[in-house]
Amino acid sequence: MTAGPNGPDGRPLPVVSPADGRLLDLLPATTAAQVEAAVRRARRAFDSGVWSGLPHRERAAVLLRLADLMHRDRELLARLDSEDAGKPVTECRTSDVPDAVEAVRWFAEAADKLYGSVAPAAGDLGFTRREPLGVVAAIVPWNYPLAMTAWKVGPALAAGNCLLVKPAEATPRSARHLAALAEEAGVPAGVLTVLPGHGAVTGAALARHPRIGALSFTGSTATGRRVLAAAAETNFKRVSLEMGGKSPQILMPDALSFGDALIDDMIDAAFLTMGQNCTAGSRILVHHSIADRVRERFVAAARSLEIGDPASPATRVGPLIDRAALARVAAAVDVARAGGARVLTGGAPADVHPGGSYYPPTVLSQVPADSAVLTRELFGPVVTVQTFRSEAEAVGLANAGDYGLAASVWSRDLDVALRLARTVQAGVVSVNCYSEGDITVPFGGWKQSGFGGAEKSLAAFDQWTRRKTVWIRGR
Ligand code: NAD
């Protein structure tokens, strides 16, 4: 490892624009020694009771102020995520930033609603309390930098913990601004610390740290495996994993009766954040009777999406995160094509800016069953179309593979829709829409997509609190 501003294990962290290759910022990367110091500071803050000992309503008031400040700075936060991740600024303005504000506000309001329970003990009294875990950590991906951070900051802090957040290498700036806003809101020092850094150094130090009580990870399945192993090899910290997906969009014979709403939602499912979305509906499964008409309308809609500079409000498709992602996506499509797949639109890098990593919305059909584009998360604007003849065949295709994050189902037949909602193996099934639901419902994947339902809603507190049983003898 080369020397950097933080010493021998901390290479500096360049923040590079995916849109044109410009250097946006060069941040000091957090070293392992700095992680150690941050854990000690957080521990002191926790033990002092300056946050964990506050009455719940006071903690809630500080977090509500934080939500207000995020709302005040919404335009800056949207710009930071758009610049760092190459996300269309319109997506950040209309979805990511409002979702993040809403998450912090909702969890603030939930701070004094964490009830324990009373056991039906005969004579004696047994009850449970939910207590914070102390010093906890979050490791966050680059595709929804602020929103994923807020999903973790909200419940972790509302529960009284002191949290260390490691943003992804490529997208550290919105989380850094969030930390500044937290200070302005009155969150005491040591309660929320943002540690920009490299996964193999900063992330690994958090995952291995013996005095971190819980770690919430969102990212790829490969890194999730490492994080879980690190926890097992050290202190068995409580780990929660939310990882990749290969989600199906299932269109039953009457799906076209939803008209433009169907096509619009299919486009969002496939191409929001350029398909670099954990819940991307990257596998379209369509009943053979409507397949030709769906393909035609979907391909026409995909071709009409405005591709270009993410800073332009009209842009629907920006660049991929970096040149490596562009090369990976291009190679996967080339291999599929060579294996017999038909490219209905897209299929080669787009010439938008020489320094950018642009790949257009791409639709593949007749993809061989063993092709990697059907089985592995590609994390790009590429969808496959497969047809089925029966509901059982649709379920078989939907449940194939190692992932189980999300699925959408389109049918006006309530029996069919409910049956599919039950039989499809995914943590989130949306019916007649593409949606993860609002902050009131749990979110998370099954199988190798995650631990299931660990984010959002009151269920999120299961990550960030532990149960204590108190038993009082009646004498
Ligand atoms: P990634 O796994 O490469 O990185 C995620 C985070 O882990 C980053 O902060 C990274 O620095 C850190 N990291 C890397 N190596 C580490 C190590 N050895 N120890 C500890 N931390 C380490 O993922 P990414 O490319 O940033 O994000 C894309 C992935 O995230 C996709 O697979 C996507 O599906 C997934 N994702 C899942 C959800 C969900 O809720 N299920 C949401 C968003 C993204």
Side-chain angles (χ1 to χ4, degrees):
M1 206 146 289
T2 55
N6 285 317
D9 65 348
R11 287 163 292 152
L13 204 59
V15 184
V16 176
S17 162
D20 54 19
R22 224 168 5 116
L23 184 67
L24 296 166
D25 211 335
L26 189 65
L27 301 180
T30 307
T31 64
Q34 289 168 327
V35 169
E36 183 59 43
V39 172
R40 270 198 237 115
R41 203 167 47 242
R43 187 74 237 177
R44 278 197 303 276
F46 185 80
D47 290 344
S48 74
V50 65
W51 184 250
S52 56
L54 275 189
H56 293 82
R57 288 314 300 165
E58 288 180 31
R59 224 188 278 146
V62 175
L63 291 174
L64 287 170
R65 262 199 310 276
L66 173 59
D68 289 345
L69 294 172
M70 291 167 71
H71 179 71
R72 181 197 70 191
D73 286 3
R74 59 192 180 281
E75 188 52 35
L76 171 62
L77 289 165
R79 181 172 63 73
L80 291 175
D81 271 5
S82 172
E83 284 182 358
D84 291 7
K87 291 171 73 103
V89 72
T90 303
E91 261 187 53
C92 300
R93 280 186 185 136
T94 59
S95 169
D96 297 30
V97 174
D99 283 0
V101 176
E102 168 76 355
V104 171
R105 184 166 288 138
W106 194 88
F107 284 112
E109 287 164 352
D112 62 350
K113 296 170 186 70
L114 285 182
Y115 289 84
S117 60
V118 178
D124 301 327
L125 173 62
F127 65 92
T128 60
R129 293 165 46 79
R130 299 184 72 160
E131 298 192 356
L133 285 123
V135 179
V136 295
I139 298 181
V140 178
W142 53 262
N143 61 338
Y144 285 83
L146 184 70
M148 292 299 102
T149 303
W151 282 11
K152 298 180 194 296
V153 167
L157 262 54
N161 297 288
C162 292
L163 175 69
L164 308 169
V165 178
K166 195 204 91 60
E169 287 86 338
T171 56
R173 294 191 303 162
S174 61
R176 287 227 312 180
H177 189 65
L178 183 70
L181 294 181
E183 193 180 339
E184 187 180 343
V187 174
V191 173
L192 174 64
T193 310
V194 171
L195 303 170
H198 298 280
V201 179
T202 319
L206 291 171
R208 299 197 71 81
H209 202 288
R211 284 182 303 284
I212 289 178
L215 190 153
S216 173
F217 170 83
T218 301
S220 65
T221 300
T223 310
R225 207 180 295 284
R226 276 193 213 112
V227 165
L228 190 58
E233 285 162 10
T234 53
N235 65 335
F236 296 109
K237 58 178 64 62
R238 181 188 296 179
V239 173
S240 163
L241 301 176
E242 287 304 335
M243 303 174 288
K246 193 78 196 169
S247 299
Q249 308 191 48
I250 307 172
L251 277 61
M252 298 309 282
D254 60 350
L256 273 170
S257 68
F258 291 96
D260 288 346
L262 168 74
I263 305 298
D264 291 349
D265 274 27
M266 287 177 71
I267 289 285
D268 279 353
F271 302 125
L272 276 178
T273 308
M274 290 65 75
Q276 304 166 121
N277 182 357
C278 57
T279 59
S282 52
R283 292 186 296 143
I284 295 171
L285 309 180
V286 54
H287 192 264
H288 73 101
S289 61
I290 58 169
D292 287 346
R293 278 175 294 155
V294 167
R295 260 192 299 258
E296 194 181 310
R297 288 184 64 177
F298 182 72
V299 165
R303 281 199 185 119
S304 74
L305 294 174
E306 177 102 12
I307 179 165
D309 181 357
S312 160
T315 293
R316 291 286 302 276
V317 178
L320 302 188
I321 186 69
D322 55 26
R323 309 294 288 185
L326 180 66
R328 192 191 63 241
V329 168
V333 172
D334 289 348
V335 168
R337 187 176 7 220
R342 272 190 65 208
V343 179
L344 303 182
T345 186
D351 188 14
V352 175
H353 188 290
S357 334
Y358 294 86
Y359 200 89
T362 295
V363 185
L364 304 178
S365 71
Q366 295 170 29
V367 181
D370 59 351
S371 172
V373 290
L374 282 181
T375 55
R376 302 229 326 256
E377 182 185 51
L378 187 52
F379 229 52
V382 178
V383 289
T384 55
V385 183
Q386 294 168 277
T387 58
F388 61 84
R389 288 182 174 267
S390 69
E391 189 180 314
E393 193 187 354
V395 171
L397 289 170
N399 291 344
D402 295 332
Y403 297 107
L405 186 48
S408 45
V409 169
W410 292 84
S411 173
R412 286 195 191 273
D413 183 328
L414 196 57
D415 291 339
V416 171
L418 283 177
R419 229 173 15 242
L420 286 171
R422 207 172 50 238
T423 50
V424 170
Q425 295 166 0
V428 181
V429 180
S430 54
V431 176
N432 299 336
C433 62
Y434 166 67
S435 176
E436 293 159 14
D438 67 13
I439 190 72
T440 65
V441 290
F443 174 84
W446 287 12
K447 296 159 76 178
Q448 292 189 30
S449 292
F451 285 5
E455 304 277 5
K456 303 200 306 179
S457 82
L458 293 179
F461 285 111
D462 293 344
Q463 284 190 65
W464 303 110
T465 59
R466 53 187 164 183
R467 227 172 237 108
K468 176 180 281 172
T469 296
V470 181
W471 184 259
I472 302 176
R473 172 82 3 119
R475 295 199 182 267

